[in-house]
Amino acid sequence: MFIRCAFFQGNVKPGMEDAFNRYIREKLVPLWTRFPGAQEVRVLRQVESDVSDPHFGMVLSVRYPSRESIEIALASAVRLESREVSKDLIAMFDGTVFHTVFSADEYALPTD
């Protein structure tokens, strides 16, 4: 499996936290969950860290079954729509946004 992440490195602008989270929930999650081939969408918010820098205001994690499925999602109309809608979210954010693709192995936990 492969996971494509969007890292929002920095901070939500002061006083915009509720609007930022509401915008994600109401405007972007409905788009992200429509990406072709997406098997899981997670929105992660940093609560604490053992280092002061970098700080991540948000990390978007989308799981796909293959690299090919990521390429299909990135070429889709819903991704183009998502990029346009994301501009208002990025306006509420001070920092940089970058994307990374990870290969992932999954291990079952013991049941005992």
Side-chain angles (χ1 to χ4, degrees):
M1 96 180 77
F2 292 86
I3 299 173
R4 186 170 190 267
C5 294
F7 290 91
F8 283 65
Q9 184 176 349
N11 295 286
V12 177
K13 291 180 179 176
M16 300 295 297
E17 297 84 1
D18 288 341
F20 185 85
N21 291 326
R22 188 172 49 256
Y23 196 86
I24 291 167
R25 188 176 54 254
E26 294 175 2
K27 302 284 186 181
L28 287 166
V29 168
L31 292 171
W32 294 334
T33 56
R34 289 183 25 228
F35 274 39
Q39 297 176 315
E40 177 185 71
V41 173
R42 290 181 185 234
V43 175
L44 309 173
R45 292 175 185 82
Q46 185 171 331
V47 174
E48 62 182 67
S49 178
D50 58 356
V51 295
S52 60
D53 193 41
H55 176 80
F56 295 98
M58 181 190 72
V59 176
L60 166 65
S61 168
V62 183
R63 181 169 46 97
Y64 294 93
S66 66
R67 293 291 312 270
E68 180 184 48
S69 61
I70 293 172
E71 296 305 318
I72 291 168
L74 294 180
S76 71
V78 70
R79 196 265 182 135
L80 293 176
E81 183 181 355
S82 169
R83 289 183 73 179
E84 191 63 33
V85 173
S86 292
K87 290 177 182 178
D88 289 336
L89 183 74
I90 291 170
M92 294 183 247
F93 188 74
D94 282 326
T96 59
V97 179
F98 62 94
H99 297 81
T100 302
V101 174
F102 295 94
S103 65
D105 298 323
E106 194 167 347
Y107 300 98
L109 297 176
T111 58
D112 293 320

